[in-house]
Amino acid sequence: MSALTARLAKSHFGRLLQLRSVSSSVLSGANPVDYDSTNPITLFLVQLFIIIIFTQGLGFLFRYIKQPKVIAEVIGGIILGPTAMGHIPHFSTRIFPTQSLPYLNLVASIGLILFLFLVGLEVDLGVAKRNGRQSALISLAGMCLPFGLGAAVAVPVYHNFVDTAKSSFGHFLLFVGVAMSITAFPVLCRILTATKLLDTKVGVMVLSAGVGNDVVGWVLLALTLALVNSGTGVTAVYVLLCAVGWAIVLLWPIRKAYAWLVRRTGSIENGPTPAMMIITLLIVFISAFVTDIIGVHPIFGGFIAGLIIPHENGYAIHVTERLDDLVSLLLLPIYFVLSGLQTNLSLLDTGKIWGYVILLCVVAFVGKFVGCAGTAKLLRYSNRESAAIGMLMSCKGLVELIVLNVGLSAGIINQQLFSMFVVEAVVLTFVTTPATLWIYPEHVRTRGSADQPTVKASDEGKTASFSVVGRAAGGREFTHHLLVVLQKVEHLAAVMYLTHMLEPIAPQAPPPWNAANVALDAKHSQGESLGSSTSSPNQEVSALPQTDQSSPFLSGSVTIDALKIIELTGRTFSVMQSAEKDQLLLTDDALQLYRQFGRLKGIDVRPHITIVGDEHFPAAVEDHARDLSSELVVIPWTISSSGGMATLIDPTSPEREGMVPSSSTTTALEAVFGFDATAGSPMYTHFIRNVFTRSSVDVALIVDRGFGSSASFPLGSGQHIFLPFFGGADDRLALRLVVQLCCNPYVTATVVRLEHDAVDESTDEDGSTAEHELTLSDSIKVHQNALQTNQLTVGVKASEQTRVASETADNLAWSYYATQGQTERPPRASLDTSLARMSFWSTTSNRPLTDTLTYAENAITQQGGAQWRPLLVVTGRGRHGASINHSAELSKMLATRGLNPSVGAELRKTVGDPAAALMLNGGAPATASFLVLEAGQKR
């Protein structure tokens, strides 16, 4: 009997396999897009491929006109539906046959439940609480007025387009009121982030009002569905009570238990564990199941489940990261394409219908705009701010589309009305971004959370006290306010390295009290015998060293703003990061570690976070430097000193014609960029060059070659600095900063001024002709052409008047610092002590870069042995009014070493010619760390 059963099972299984293989095999001549109920996965994969390619392609195009991704998905669905491609013969019957739609609908429903869960995650009730009264008034006005106007317009629409036998007027009126009054909170968050309005006064208020509007809108829709799905009024009450009861169970005991589990498993500190993600998904789908069987809709279960997730320590953001891509890139586009398949704009074929479409658009916009903008004006917002609030709150987006689909499936509206409302939602969402940017441009915006420091009277006096000497020194003598761009933990070593050298000297303080003296005084007061309570010499204490009270290097004189830039990707968790920046400031490891390091060093470090698109990174740095009144922007660039190949280098590129081949398999350029792809990435170098180009304040680039990389370096407490001074605003800035760093008693410096000596270089010292140089002429031209064609050109040819003024300023600054005792300076012991730790030397040369290499090598070999850290080379970038043009000499040096011209141009454009010469020509100077400075454009 068992053998017979096995044979029958084997026979059935074999027939099934044979059926599946024949139905899905193109080798047998079958069409893979033919629907086969025994093997639906083949057609489903074809549909999925078309949906993803079509929606993502449109989304990429719509991004350039600053439209949210949902617009592309909805329009893509409409194009794939009967409106456009449905007119292609057999397209709909082959690609989207009616029999296959249940499978798409099942997957889309799962995606919709998860999406509403993510929407609930985005809703942070704490945001609404912080702006309680005003946000509640704007949200209430933005619901009541459009609901009333929607109810009014529902009367003629119902009698002209609805089958009164299938849908009651009460249900339809309630549905239209909800559709008119709801705001697309997820799309609104993305618009606020993309337009950089999230941290403005308008953005904060709109976000707070949108939270209340979103929650109330979903409650009203749940009430509508409860009325529609119930047979009698009593049943509707039971449905509504069950929905409220389940919401209370979720929001109270289950929320408490979930929060306990999150803390118990350590997920609050380290992100959700796999067990917590399983529990989270189970809660979501159980909640969706409960709300479905009680007669509301499964999407409400997903939304309520999202409200119970704690936002503490960024936990909600971490949960969103786990699900966001799957939902937004795969599942949700299927839902919107299904909406597009049910949208048939060819049904809107009369002037009367389009008149009602325009009426719906006007009513929906006027109700939201007038209600929200009018309330904002009554709350004393400006005209532009009020109009921007009204414009943003009128955004419909995907939330109204979800409402429309629910209404269509419930039989409240038909396909024609569905298409009319889809047009209204798309139009209002499409105009939101451009209209908001026109009403509320950047120059009139007010930041909602002003963390900008005010200039205190003491700071003004401090700056004014150095104005006279600043002119003699060539500019601002001491830098007090720094902005450090801290992108990742790997950059900490470089910025800590600079912060350590800026550590203030301990101020004058009274000697510490002697406990023995206190004991003696107590015994005297009590009339006791002194006994043997005298202190021995080993117990005596000494006063702290005395310091100059006029020194600008005292504790608290240097303030550092640490800025972390996070890329805005358009994903849900990225938008949530924008809305929860305050919590990110408290949980970001790099910022908090640097802040504590600053406190240990006696320096005030204030963390900041900005979340913008990658194309706006340089502008974000410029905006923060201006808003924070920073004097110097510091950008770290950690590069391994162990050598290797990076993505910026092309090791397989053939030698250019005329290039002298390199004698080493690892070039000096490869040793600079190392193995780390992010260190030598063209994206990061492009970001650095853009900051140099755009910044109106001084910029410093730390090219860290030892402290932040994996390379080992000798332990030591002393730091020696080498500064080649060629002249120009950048070099004068470098000189002043080196003087400030030498206020630290553990820092010394060697400054060499090299002035160009116009001597004929056509003959070498041994009397030979320049035949070897002529053989390199083609290579030199290649390097110079690469430099000129590269983006963001370094060096602007100055006029004769500017050059003379710059040389005069160079001579004044050199005389002020280098000629000790010969120049009248205000008496300040701190400056004299700093200059006493510096060595100055001036010389002339017809090969200044070549001689700079020699001086740098000598500085390394003679800097003092194992007690000194690796050499720090400080140079100017050579952009503003440089006295010497190094282009020809450096091109010759690079051609001689056989380096790639295009990559050499990349580095020269980033760090300037002096630093590039030291980095690329090998030897000991190439292993040093570099501090490259450029003076701001506004001097």
Side-chain angles (χ1 to χ4, degrees), residues 492-780:
L492 272 175
V495 297
M496 286 180 176
Y497 171 46
L498 179 62
T499 306
H500 172 72
M501 290 189 288
L502 292 171
E503 181 181 0
I505 306 170
Q508 181 178 356
W513 59 273
N514 192 335
N517 294 334
V518 176
L520 289 175
D521 294 339
K523 290 184 178 181
H524 276 298
S525 63
Q526 297 175 7
E528 298 181 8
S529 174
L530 295 178
S532 58
S533 60
T534 57
S535 300
S536 65
N538 292 335
Q539 293 174 313
E540 293 179 355
V541 293
S542 59
L544 293 175
Q546 305 298 307
T547 58
D548 176 25
Q549 293 301 297
S550 65
S551 172
F553 227 60
L554 292 177
S555 178
S557 62
V558 175
T559 301
I560 298 178
D561 292 289
L563 173 65
K564 182 167 186 179
I565 308 176
I566 300 177
E567 181 182 0
L568 177 64
T569 60
R571 296 171 176 170
T572 303
F573 73 86
S574 182
V575 176
M576 293 175 66
Q577 286 178 330
S578 300
E580 300 180 13
K581 287 193 294 185
D582 293 340
Q583 288 198 17
L584 287 179
L585 283 174
L586 301 176
T587 59
D588 187 84
D589 293 335
L591 290 177
Q592 290 304 318
L593 183 58
Y594 184 47
R595 184 183 183 185
Q596 295 303 321
F597 179 81
R599 294 174 69 89
L600 292 174
K601 293 296 180 180
I603 297 177
D604 183 19
V605 176
R606 300 174 298 193
H608 305 270
I609 283 182
T610 184
I611 303 177
V612 295
D614 54 358
E615 69 275 11
H616 299 300
F617 280 9
V621 174
E622 180 189 15
D623 293 342
H624 278 77
R626 180 184 62 252
D627 296 340
L628 297 170
S629 302
S630 302
E631 297 170 343
L632 180 67
V633 176
V634 180
I635 305 174
W637 190 13
T638 300
I639 301 176
S640 172
S641 61
S642 58
M645 186 69 64
T647 56
L648 192 58
I649 316 300
D650 183 8
T652 61
S653 61
E655 298 286 352
R656 293 178 179 268
E657 184 178 356
M659 294 293 294
V660 177
S662 175
S663 59
S664 174
T665 57
T666 301
T667 67
L669 191 60
E670 297 168 10
V672 168
F673 286 100
F675 287 101
D676 188 6
T678 61
S681 169
M683 293 294 294
Y684 195 68
T685 57
H686 188 77
F687 160 70
I688 294 172
R689 294 202 304 267
N690 268 289
V691 173
F692 274 129
T693 303
R694 298 175 61 105
S695 179
S696 58
V697 301
D698 301 336
V699 180
L701 170 66
I702 306 178
V703 184
D704 178 24
R705 303 275 286 121
F707 291 91
S709 69
S710 58
S712 60
F713 56 88
L715 298 176
S717 57
Q719 177 64 59
H720 191 66
I721 298 174
F722 173 67
L723 168 61
F725 186 85
F726 301 102
D730 298 346
D731 282 25
R732 294 194 296 273
L733 171 63
L735 177 60
R736 297 192 300 272
L737 184 61
V738 169
V739 173
Q740 179 173 351
L741 295 178
C742 286
C743 289
N744 191 310
Y746 299 102
V747 179
T748 62
T750 298
V751 184
V752 178
R753 184 181 188 185
L754 294 102
E755 298 180 276
H756 194 268
D757 185 11
V759 177
D760 185 11
E761 301 179 58
S762 62
T763 303
D764 294 335
E765 294 180 359
D766 59 358
S768 61
T769 61
E771 294 180 0
H772 176 65
E773 296 174 355
L774 291 175
T775 62
L776 297 175
S777 60
D778 292 339
S779 300
I780 296 173

